[in-house]
Amino acid sequence: RGNHRSHVLPPVILWAWERPEDLRFIDPGREGVAYLAATIALSGDRISLHSRQQQLQVPDGTTLVAVVRLETDRNDRPVLSDGQRSAVAGIISRIGSIPAHAAVQIDFDALTSERAFYRALLHEVRGRLPASVILSITALASWCTGDPWIAGLPVDEAVPMLFRMGADRAAVLARLQAGADFSLPICRASVGISTDELRPRLPADRRIY
């Protein structure tokens, strides 16, 4: 399941978003931290970068995953040019190449019209990252089942997000409750859950975000 690189990540990884986080209580032998390092917004022919402003405290030896959130302006649609893609890839690869980071994770709810751009972006990021750095993406649960457009992407893991699922929620939960797994192998290494929703039945032996 997934790529061999992702096996170095711990079995539990806590997402830490843009707020002050004191996670010095975790056991770095079992738990890692995926923290929001930056948000990149695309609109028209422009990109803007917002780097993390809030303090993050973790124990020595904690496995760190740098999360980069991509957002596209729904009113001023981005042109998704080669220049935008190259600039975004450069930012992500620089963040992922920081020695403290075991992995970089891209969080992008790509619309159907944005998928070609995202696919090309991931190929460029992978080409720029050191071979030892894990490339992870979050994935809508539907991308791992009935709409498997992410098959063949150059990523080490795709983390199906089993919360805030919207219209697909009932079908995805019924599939998991019946003991079925995600159809794409790249989605079978990890799952993402939220502590403020009931935990669904999960396939065995998964990394939990």
Side-chain angles (χ1 to χ4, degrees):
R1 292 189 307 272
N3 186 283
H4 65 90
R5 274 184 293 247
S6 69
H7 294 171
V8 305
L9 296 177
V12 176
I13 299 181
L14 306 179
W15 273 315
W17 299 116
E18 184 66 61
R19 64 185 185 187
E21 292 281 10
D22 184 352
L23 300 175
R24 288 175 292 180
F25 63 87
I26 70 171
D27 174 4
R30 173 172 170 75
E31 297 159 326
V33 174
Y35 75 99
L36 183 63
T39 299
I40 301 172
L42 288 78
S43 59
D45 60 357
R46 302 172 301 281
I47 70 168
S48 62
L49 171 65
H50 177 80
S51 298
R52 184 183 186 87
Q53 303 296 309
Q54 305 295 333
Q55 186 179 39
L56 174 69
Q57 295 176 282
V58 297
D60 290 343
T62 299
T63 299
L64 290 177
V65 177
V67 180
V68 179
R69 169 73 181 166
L70 295 188
E71 297 179 349
T72 53
D73 193 320
R74 297 299 188 249
N75 296 312
D76 185 9
R77 304 296 309 170
V79 296
L80 303 179
S81 65
D82 291 347
Q84 281 180 317
R85 186 194 71 237
S86 184
V88 172
I91 294 169
I92 295 171
S93 59
R94 285 194 296 273
I95 292 171
S97 298
I98 292 172
H101 297 148
V104 62
Q105 183 177 81
I106 303 174
D107 181 36
F108 183 29
D109 304 329
L111 301 176
T112 302
S113 60
E114 298 165 341
R115 291 178 179 180
F117 171 85
Y118 193 23
R119 184 179 291 108
L121 173 67
L122 289 168
H123 278 280
E124 186 165 348
V125 169
R126 181 69 270 173
R128 293 189 182 203
L129 283 175
S132 60
V133 175
I134 296 158
L135 180 56
S136 169
I137 62 170
T138 61
L140 302 182
S142 61
W143 295 354
C144 295
T145 52
D147 183 20
W149 73 273
I150 60 174
L153 291 180
V155 300
D156 299 299
E157 67 170 7
V159 184
M161 296 180 290
L162 302 181
F163 57 95
R164 318 283 195 274
M165 287 189 282
D168 296 318
R169 184 175 187 275
V172 171
L173 293 183
R175 179 188 182 98
L176 295 174
Q177 191 60 37
D181 208 337
F182 297 106
S183 54
L184 291 186
I186 199 66
C187 297
R188 296 178 190 160
S190 304
V191 292
I193 62 173
S194 175
T195 55
D196 65 0
E197 291 189 14
L198 288 176
R199 176 170 164 166
R201 177 177 178 176
L202 303 178
D205 190 28
R206 297 298 148 95
R207 180 178 304 109
I208 296 177
Y209 282 86

